[in-house]
Amino acid sequence: MAAVKPNTNWAEDDIEADELPQPTETTDPNTGITTIISWKLDEQDRKVKVTRRIRRRVQTQVVSHSVAERKGWAKFGLDKGKPSGPDRKTTIIGENLHFRIAPVSKAEPEQADPVASKPTAGKAVVCRLCQGGHFTAKCPYKEQLAVIDNMNTEGMDEEEDAGGAGGLAPKGAGGAGGKYVPPGQRAGGGAGESMFRSRDDLPTLRITSLSVDAEEDDVRELFAKFGHIARVSVVRDRETRQSKGLAFVSFESKASAEEAIKKMNGRGYDSLILNVAWSQPRGDRA
């Protein structure tokens, strides 16, 4: 009786034990459900059987001739001789993305005037001449309207000359045809008195290096603690209405204005150093 030689190569036994079976895929013709069975090792190196059941639905899609022809090409390499179509054992099917090119218009948009179309801070732009939606300096009818305005002014001058020939009404009386005549234009009358005091008559301060974001209410609140304020004016650009960093504050009393100069000149406000000084009368400016 022949003796059986024992297998002493224990490494080959471990390799055979660690090998996992190949995944299998079967389809039930009645239900159309495909069962996929695969194997894997868990954390303790034990074989685990994984079963997945998939129901496939055939979708018909219209493609180009080149795409349809490419799907019928013969496979090569490890998949040589296999039927056409993707093999789920070696191929992962991704999402089909369609790329569409949107039509681009060749017409170039008209370039608007950057100055005329510049928006202001929450205010609508209205022309003072034609009431259009643009700045007065950019009005296209500026010259035509100026001619009409001159013609109207000449007609008013002629009416005044005609009224002056007959003499103005006495002081306190109406003009020709019952028209009201201002006191400054009546016979023997001087300049009428204004019910408001001008800025030159009030102790007015000139504030420079002011923040462009400061409004009239901000300046009034800043100087109100020194006394009663009669008027606050922030100088702005005529077209953009943006502050120029300059303001005038008129007090009722000179003592309040002097105290404001003493306390506010050189003070920091909104990351700027204020310059507060007396405002010169209009006739004394260079």
Side-chain angles (χ1 to χ4, degrees):
M1 183 175 180
V4 179
K5 185 179 180 181
N7 186 9
T8 58
N9 193 352
W10 54 270
E12 294 180 359
D13 295 339
D14 292 342
I15 294 174
E16 293 178 357
D18 293 341
E19 289 182 356
L20 298 176
Q22 294 294 330
T24 60
E25 180 177 340
T26 57
T27 303
D28 189 350
N30 298 325
T31 61
I33 297 177
T34 302
T35 303
I36 303 174
I37 300 176
S38 60
W39 299 83
K40 68 177 183 178
L41 297 176
D42 59 4
E43 296 179 354
Q44 300 178 1
D45 293 336
R46 294 180 300 183
K47 293 182 181 180
V48 178
K49 181 180 179 181
V50 180
T51 303
R52 294 182 298 167
R53 291 180 175 86
I54 302 174
R55 183 189 296 273
R56 295 192 179 98
R57 295 181 180 178
V58 179
Q59 294 182 353
T60 303
Q61 183 180 6
V62 179
V63 297
S64 61
H65 294 284
S66 59
V67 174
E69 183 181 358
R70 186 166 60 248
K71 290 184 178 181
W73 286 354
K75 295 184 178 180
F76 56 91
L78 298 177
D79 289 344
K80 184 177 182 180
K82 294 184 179 181
S84 60
D87 188 0
R88 294 186 177 273
K89 298 179 181 179
T90 58
T91 306
I92 298 177
I93 302 175
E95 183 181 0
N96 190 15
L97 300 178
H98 298 277
F99 179 70
R100 295 182 180 179
I101 301 177
V104 180
S105 177
K106 295 183 179 180
E108 297 181 357
E110 296 182 359
Q111 295 182 356
D113 190 350
V115 179
S117 60
K118 184 177 181 181
T120 56
K123 299 180 181 179
V125 178
V126 179
C127 178
R128 294 193 300 270
L129 299 177
C130 66
Q131 304 301 321
H134 51 261
F135 294 111
T136 305
K138 300 294 183 180
C139 181
Y141 311 104
K142 182 166 54 176
E143 297 181 357
Q144 293 87 336
L145 294 177
V147 174
I148 297 175
D149 191 15
N150 293 335
M151 294 175 61
N152 296 335
T153 305
E154 293 176 358
M156 293 176 63
D157 293 341
E158 293 177 359
E159 292 180 0
E160 291 178 359
D161 294 341
L168 293 174
K171 187 175 183 179
K179 255 180 155 178
Y180 171 76
V181 180
Q185 298 180 5
R186 295 174 186 170
E193 295 182 358
S194 174
M195 61 185 298
F196 299 103
R197 297 172 63 184
S198 65
R199 192 177 69 191
D200 294 340
D201 298 335
L202 295 171
T204 303
L205 304 182
R206 185 173 184 266
I207 299 96
T208 57
S209 299
L210 184 67
S211 173
V212 295
D213 297 330
E215 301 291 339
E216 281 80 357
D217 295 339
D218 300 331
V219 179
R220 184 181 296 275
E221 182 180 358
L222 191 62
F223 287 85
K225 57 186 176 181
F226 301 106
H228 187 268
I229 297 177
R231 187 184 298 110
V232 175
S233 176
V234 176
V235 181
R236 303 178 182 275
D237 187 86
R238 293 184 178 180
E239 295 185 357
T240 63
R241 304 305 300 168
Q242 179 72 22
S243 173
K244 294 185 176 181
L246 173 65
F248 293 91
V249 178
S250 300
F251 287 90
E252 290 290 346
S253 65
K254 186 176 181 180
S256 300
E258 291 176 348
E259 184 69 16
I261 293 177
K262 186 186 302 182
K263 298 293 185 180
M264 298 301 296
N265 186 28
R267 177 181 173 181
Y269 178 74
D270 199 7
S271 302
L272 295 174
I273 303 299
L274 297 178
N275 184 10
V276 183
W278 290 107
S279 175
Q280 299 179 0
R282 293 184 176 89
D284 299 342
R285 296 177 186 173

